[in-house]
Amino acid sequence: MDKKKKPRSTRSLNWLAGALYVFCLVSISPTKAGSLADTSTLQRNLEVVAKGSDGRVGICAEQIKSGVITCVNGDQRFSLQSVMKLVVAAAVMDAIDRGQMRLEDVVTVRKNDLSLYVQPIADLVAERGEVKTTVADLISGAVIESDSAATDLLFARVGGAEGIRTFLKTKRISGLSVDRDEKHLQTEIVGLIWRPEYVDANVLEKAIKAVPSGRRDASFAAYLKDKRDTATPRGMVSFLSALATGKLLSAKSTAHLLKVMQETVTFPDRLKAGVPEGWTLGHKTGTSLTWRGVTAVTNDVGILTAPDGGTISVAVFVAESRRSSKERAKVIAATAKTITSSYR
């Protein structure tokens, strides 16, 4: 769940630009691109960044060409929250590669198809009664704007959790699990079970307020321990590196998804705030709710591209923190700054 809502717009993605971006990403010569040369120093510096936060912090950075990974708490599990939307999008692109659907396929979205919290498409549905969109636009909404309704529609189209498990297993991705769509995950966190009437935000809000505090406490505590819908930082950067190097998807689908990631608008104060001029970033953020002063997780994961074409996948998870949203964002931004500063 990402809580900053941005206006929805239909995008026409530039396939040629995306294809050229992927070509540079996977074909740059090691003699031309730099690297994270001193990984021991980077490790120490990342540990300092992590210690600057309360709760748990997990960080991994992988030099994509060499496969060298530097981590802090890289094998601990962290909740994905809206980062799962990127995994769902990748599974959809894989289904397109296998001829099971097309980007141009038309999808009709009605009120009973909606989800909860951030879902810009819901405004259009409320205005028009129904919206005809495409698979391509749902992918853009899910990744760029963190639209939960778009994500849940795509989640269902790829066969739900079982379809995503099959996708990850086939691609030999471990340390990463997507088990529920947004509406089921988010309602369970607050002590509810999803009901169709919760597509009405007012009905959902009243239901949440009616949950006894003891049940809210128990549900939140269970969520913090739940292994479902989680990833290790190591597993996440392995997924990102596989995507960047064309090991997950066809060249065309890789280009499309990487281009979409570069257009992400949510939380520019996280990784994006730590990226120096001349670098590019394709990423996906994730944010949980806060209960009794504790924010379960604040995330940002992505692919950094240096001016010389060198690439680094990075995953940052700030969990169980009592700090403000600005303070949590600073930890993530400091991670990006630390990684890019060590690139030579």
Side-chain angles (χ1 to χ4, degrees):
M1 177 184 71
D2 272 329
K3 291 190 175 182
K4 287 193 177 178
K5 182 176 178 180
K6 301 288 183 180
R8 182 175 178 80
S9 61
T10 302
R11 293 171 175 82
S12 176
L13 299 177
N14 187 323
W15 285 91
L16 178 58
L20 289 172
Y21 172 68
V22 176
F23 174 79
C24 293
L25 203 63
V26 300
S27 65
I28 192 82
S29 169
T31 61
K32 295 179 181 179
S35 65
L36 299 172
D38 189 351
T39 54
S40 296
T41 299
L42 175 60
Q43 173 79 40
R44 291 193 295 271
N45 290 340
L46 290 177
E47 288 172 354
V48 171
V49 171
K51 288 176 182 177
S53 178
D54 61 340
R56 292 188 302 127
V57 176
I59 302 168
C60 275
E62 179 176 354
Q63 179 76 39
I64 292 178
K65 271 290 184 180
S66 67
V68 174
I69 301 179
T70 305
C71 295
V72 176
N73 298 323
D75 296 312
Q76 291 187 20
R77 283 273 176 176
F78 294 85
S79 176
L80 285 166
Q81 279 293 327
S82 287
V83 169
M84 62 82 79
K85 296 170 182 176
L86 175 59
V87 183
V88 173
V92 172
M93 297 306 302
D94 176 65
I96 290 169
D97 285 342
R98 291 183 285 109
Q100 295 186 341
M101 64 179 87
R102 302 176 305 154
L103 285 171
E104 304 80 26
D105 285 347
V106 175
V107 181
T108 301
V109 185
R110 302 179 177 88
K111 185 174 181 178
N112 60 0
D113 296 313
L114 297 179
S115 184
L116 76 182
Y117 301 144
V118 178
Q119 44 180 347
I121 200 171
D123 294 337
L124 295 176
V125 172
E127 178 185 331
R128 305 175 189 173
E130 66 178 39
V131 173
K132 290 190 182 298
T133 185
T134 63
V135 168
D137 206 37
L138 290 176
I139 291 171
S140 293
V143 177
I144 295 170
E145 298 172 321
S146 209
D147 191 314
S148 292
T151 305
D152 286 359
L153 285 162
L154 294 173
F155 183 89
R157 290 177 82 87
V158 295
E162 185 58 37
I164 293 176
R165 273 194 292 271
T166 299
F167 163 64
L168 293 172
K169 183 178 180 181
T170 301
K171 303 300 180 179
R172 298 183 179 180
I173 300 295
S174 60
L176 178 58
S177 177
V178 175
D179 303 283
R180 290 165 286 185
D181 62 12
E182 281 280 59
K183 57 181 176 281
H184 287 91
L185 168 63
Q186 304 301 343
T187 48
E188 286 180 33
I189 292 172
V190 300
L192 293 171
I193 296 174
W194 175 258
R195 297 169 62 178
E197 55 264 38
Y198 292 160
V199 296
D200 186 320
N202 293 324
V203 173
L204 176 61
E205 184 179 359
K206 289 179 181 178
I208 292 174
K209 288 181 177 178
V211 176
S213 59
R215 192 162 88 203
R216 284 284 309 260
D217 290 342
S219 297
F220 190 70
Y223 165 60
L224 293 180
K225 297 177 182 177
D226 202 337
K227 301 299 183 185
R228 293 176 296 169
D229 303 292
T230 63
T232 64
R234 190 182 304 276
M236 193 71 237
V237 295
S238 295
F239 170 84
L240 292 166
S241 294
L243 171 62
T245 54
K247 294 177 182 177
L248 284 187
L249 306 170
S250 69
K252 187 175 181 180
S253 291
T254 299
H256 185 92
L257 188 52
L258 291 176
K259 185 71 166 56
V260 169
M261 290 169 65
Q262 288 187 3
E263 297 180 12
T264 292
V265 296
T266 54
F267 299 103
D269 58 348
R270 296 185 189 173
L271 282 176
K272 197 168 187 178
V275 176
E277 186 177 353
W279 289 66
T280 59
L281 170 69
H283 66 128
K284 182 70 195 82
T285 61
T287 316
S288 76
L289 55 76
T290 300
W291 179 244
R292 299 200 186 282
V294 177
T295 304
V297 77
T298 306
N299 307 331
D300 205 350
V301 309
I303 298 165
L304 295 160
T305 304
D308 65 7
T311 51
I312 303 163
S313 58
V314 58
V316 192
F317 299 86
V318 180
E320 295 135 44
S321 174
R322 292 184 175 273
R323 302 282 176 84
S324 70
S325 59
K326 288 185 178 180
E327 289 175 305
R328 286 179 268 122
K330 284 181 179 178
V331 173
I332 298 174
T335 300
K337 185 176 182 179
T338 299
I339 291 168
T340 54
S341 295
S342 66
Y343 184 84
R344 301 286 186 274

